[in-house]
């Protein structure tokens, strides 16, 4: 039998790729049953005083899956010392369950608001293009999509019954006019076109800043793929458009400069703030504005209050909630919706 030293010598002589493969194999975790997952949570210090273990098993079996559900633990701290070191501090299964439910409502609302923004962006672009008779509606597509890669990707979607006729109508020569092109491209490519248009054709006219659309895209994609939003509220690693948003929030008297800097570094809070700003500032339909305002108010002032005592000892969640409420009241008060500048 080889000694541990011999194994180490052999390991050190392996290629980087082989070492990485070994690490991956050693890190593989077995698929656990629901009962085993409950036991795993208990070992991590998760408590079952509010929701009992049988109810927790039913929830994980029918309403959520463990990997996603367990992600909300990132909002809690672990004990650093003593015999319970490494276990979560004051964390009930019910708290995670409530966060997952709130996150679901938030994702649905983010998706609806993002779709409204996508529509408004297309309307803005087409109105501005129509105001410039020198722009050829076919040539501008050729100019933007010079290698035709986006139009080729559009053709691959002709199997969809919802856009088949529009795709096939222009597929043979790839001669998509701008109104058809905008209708068929992804939100990501729409933002790319918007940036191209702002930089080349919108000089002298103030359109909304294109850089603020990237956080909205990222938030929309996370919501569309059912990724956790209310996640890692302790992590301050965001850098995108942080200064832009800090300047836009500077006149909110209820938020200190330190709070602005701190919470705009938290990615989901930053991106949600951008979503609220963009929506309240540039969506023109008053009916939509009031509808989304009512939905946001219901979520933040009714649904999130249902079990608010669960989070009274979690300062990360409490403070993040209060920051978002101040942002919401600033951008979606009746007065702000009446006075915000409209493009």
């Amino acid at each position: 039998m080889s000694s541990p030293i011999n194994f180490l010598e052999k390991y050190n002589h392996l290629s980087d790729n082989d070492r990485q493969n070994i690490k991956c194999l050693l890190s593989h975790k077995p698929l656990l049953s629901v009962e085993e997952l409950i036991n795993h949570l208990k070992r991590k210090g998760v408590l079952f005083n509010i929701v009992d273990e049988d109810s927790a098993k039913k929830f994980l079996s029918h309403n959520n899956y463990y990997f996603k559900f367990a992600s909300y633990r990132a909002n809690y701290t672990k004990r650093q010392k003593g015999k319970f070191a490494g276990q979560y501090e004051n964390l009930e299964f019910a708290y995670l369950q409530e966060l997952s439910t709130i996150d679901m409502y938030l994702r649905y609302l983010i998706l609806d608001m993002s779709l409204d923004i996508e529509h408004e962006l297309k309307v803005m672009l087409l109105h501005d293009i129509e105001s410039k008779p020198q722009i050829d509606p076919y040539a501008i597509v050729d100019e933007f999509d010079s290698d035709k890669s986006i139009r080729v990707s559009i053709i691959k979607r002709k199997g969809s019954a919802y856009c088949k006729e529009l795709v096939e109508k222009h597929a043979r020569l790839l001669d998509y006019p701008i109104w058809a092109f905008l209708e068929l491209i992804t939100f990501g490519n729409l933002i790319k076109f918007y940036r191209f248009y702002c930089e080349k054709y919108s000089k002298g006219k103030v359109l909304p800043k294109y850089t603020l659309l990237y956080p909205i895209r990222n938030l929309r994609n996370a919501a569309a793929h059912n990724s956790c939003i209310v996640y890692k509220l302790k992590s301050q690693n965001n850098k995108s458009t942080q200064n832009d948003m800090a300047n836009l929030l500077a006149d909110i008297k209820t938020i200190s400069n330190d709070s602005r800097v701190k919470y705009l570094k938290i990615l989901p809070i930053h991106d949600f703030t951008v979503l609220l700003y963009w929506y309240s500032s540039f969506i023109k339909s008053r009916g939509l504005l009031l509808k989304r305002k009512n939905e946001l108010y219901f979520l933040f002032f009714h649904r999130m209050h249902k079990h608010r005592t669960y989070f009274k000892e979690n300062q990360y969640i409490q403070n993040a909630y209060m920051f978002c409420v101040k942002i919401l009241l600033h951008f979606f008060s009746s007065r702000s919706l009446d006075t915000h500048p409209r493009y």
Side-chain angles (χ1 to χ4, degrees), residues 41-47 49 73-92 95 234 313 316:
L41 286 172
K42 288 167 68 177
R43 287 193 297 272
K44 292 288 186 180
V46 177
L47 305 172
N49 297 317
R73 295 179 302 179
N75 293 315
Y76 288 83
T77 56
K78 291 182 179 180
R79 301 178 191 275
Q80 299 299 313
K81 297 178 180 179
K83 68 175 184 177
F84 298 114
Q87 291 190 354
Y88 287 96
E89 196 170 3
N90 187 36
L91 176 54
E92 288 277 351
Y95 303 170
K234 301 184 296 178
E313 295 181 18
Y316 298 109

Side-chain angles (χ1 to χ4, degrees), residues 3-17:
S3 69
I5 294 176
N6 289 334
F7 276 122
L8 184 59
E9 288 177 352
K10 291 178 180 178
Y11 177 81
N12 288 335
H13 283 90
L14 293 174
S15 67
D16 290 341
N17 187 54

Side-chain angles (χ1 to χ4, degrees), residues 34 54-66 93 97 104:
V34 172
D54 287 338
S55 298
K57 289 174 187 175
K58 289 177 183 176
F59 180 80
L60 288 177
S61 297
H62 303 294
N63 298 89
N64 212 313
Y65 53 90
Y66 177 81
F93 182 91
Q97 187 176 4
M104 175 192 70

Side-chain angles (χ1 to χ4, degrees), residues 68-236:
K68 180 178 178 182
F69 180 81
S71 298
Y72 300 106
R73 295 179 302 179
N75 293 315
Y76 288 83
T77 56
K78 291 182 179 180
R79 301 178 191 275
Q80 299 299 313
K81 297 178 180 179
K83 68 175 184 177
F84 298 114
Q87 291 190 354
Y88 287 96
E89 196 170 3
N90 187 36
L91 176 54
E92 288 277 351
F93 182 91
Y95 303 170
L96 300 175
Q97 187 176 4
E98 177 66 1
L99 283 175
S100 72
T101 303
I102 289 172
D103 205 48
M104 175 192 70
Y105 286 117
L106 186 60
R107 287 196 307 273
Y108 291 161
L109 190 46
I110 286 168
L111 273 178
D112 285 341
M113 294 177 74
S114 300
L115 288 171
D116 295 342
I117 287 173
E118 183 176 2
H119 173 76
E120 189 66 41
L121 201 57
K122 292 176 182 179
V123 172
M124 280 182 181
L125 281 165
L126 289 174
H127 282 181
D128 204 68
I129 291 170
E130 287 167 6
S131 72
K132 296 179 171 66
Q134 73 273 21
I135 296 179
D136 183 300
Y138 292 86
I140 193 173
V141 175
D142 284 329
E143 185 180 8
F144 169 68
D145 186 33
S146 57
D147 64 356
K148 298 183 172 57
S149 60
I150 296 176
R151 282 169 286 179
V152 169
S153 69
I154 287 173
I155 293 173
K156 293 177 181 177
R157 296 170 51 204
K158 66 181 179 181
S160 170
Y162 296 99
C163 59
K164 182 178 180 179
E165 289 185 12
L166 185 57
V167 171
E168 291 184 337
K169 183 176 181 180
H170 305 279
R172 191 171 67 87
L173 298 176
L174 293 178
D175 58 339
Y176 289 90
I178 188 60
W179 52 85
F181 184 71
L182 293 183
E183 190 66 24
L184 293 168
I185 58 178
T186 65
F187 189 42
N189 283 329
L190 175 63
I191 294 173
K192 289 178 183 177
F193 179 83
Y194 183 75
R195 175 179 180 174
F196 155 82
Y197 184 81
C198 286
E199 291 178 341
K200 181 152 189 179
Y201 292 99
S202 188
K203 294 174 183 176
K205 183 167 186 180
V206 180
L207 285 170
K209 210 169 181 181
Y210 67 81
T211 52
L212 293 178
L213 289 167
Y214 297 129
I216 295 173
R217 177 201 61 192
N218 296 339
L219 193 62
R220 172 192 182 272
N221 289 346
H225 290 94
N226 269 321
S227 300
C228 300
I229 307 295
V230 186
Y231 171 61
K232 287 191 175 180
L233 297 179
K234 301 184 296 178
S235 177
Q236 299 180 22

